[in-house]
């Protein structure tokens, strides 16, 4: 039986709160191509980009988005 704890993917964003510059640490994701998007609470797309994960851990740096104060969502999707 596989240990489920070893198969869990995790993602953390820091610092939080921030001023539009932050890092996203991703661990235990399957290797491959992904897209990530940042949206506001109304669903408006603020930013998107593509990344390639080819190791157990990946750190994305997002700089100077000049975001207004508020709540934003980070969406990660595997590219098909």
């Amino acid at each position: 039986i596989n240990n489920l704890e070893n198969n869990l993917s995790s993602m953390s964003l820091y610092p939080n709160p921030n001023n539009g510059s932050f890092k996203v640490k991703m661990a235990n994701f399957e290797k491959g191509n992904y897209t990530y998007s940042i949206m506001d609470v109304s669903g408006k797309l603020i930013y998107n980009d593509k990344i390639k994960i080819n190791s157990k851990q990946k750190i994305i740096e997002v700089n100077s988005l000049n975001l207004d104060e508020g709540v934003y969502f980070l969406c990660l999707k595997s590219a098909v």
Side-chain angles (χ1 to χ4, degrees), residues 28-73:
N28 297 323
F29 279 79
E30 289 190 30
K31 293 179 182 180
N33 297 312
Y34 292 80
T35 60
Y36 68 95
S37 304
I38 299 169
M39 294 170 283
D40 67 12
V41 293
S42 71
K44 178 183 174 189
L45 180 64
I46 304 298
Y47 181 81
N48 70 332
D49 203 355
K50 296 177 182 180
I51 58 169
K52 182 173 186 158
I53 297 178
N54 52 16
S55 63
K56 283 281 191 184
Q57 184 169 300
K58 175 81 172 179
I59 297 178
I60 306 167
E61 291 188 46
V62 178
N63 294 302
S64 303
L65 289 182
N66 296 319
L67 300 173
D68 291 332
E69 189 174 305
V71 175
Y72 295 87
F73 298 97

Side-chain angles (χ1 to χ4, degrees), residues 4-32:
L4 292 177
E5 202 170 282
N6 291 334
N7 295 326
L8 295 178
S9 298
S10 67
M11 186 166 50
S12 58
L13 185 146
Y14 57 93
N16 187 16
N18 61 67
N19 62 359
S21 295
F22 56 89
K23 295 181 182 181
V24 180
K25 180 179 177 182
M26 300 164 45
N28 297 323
F29 279 79
E30 289 190 30
K31 293 179 182 180

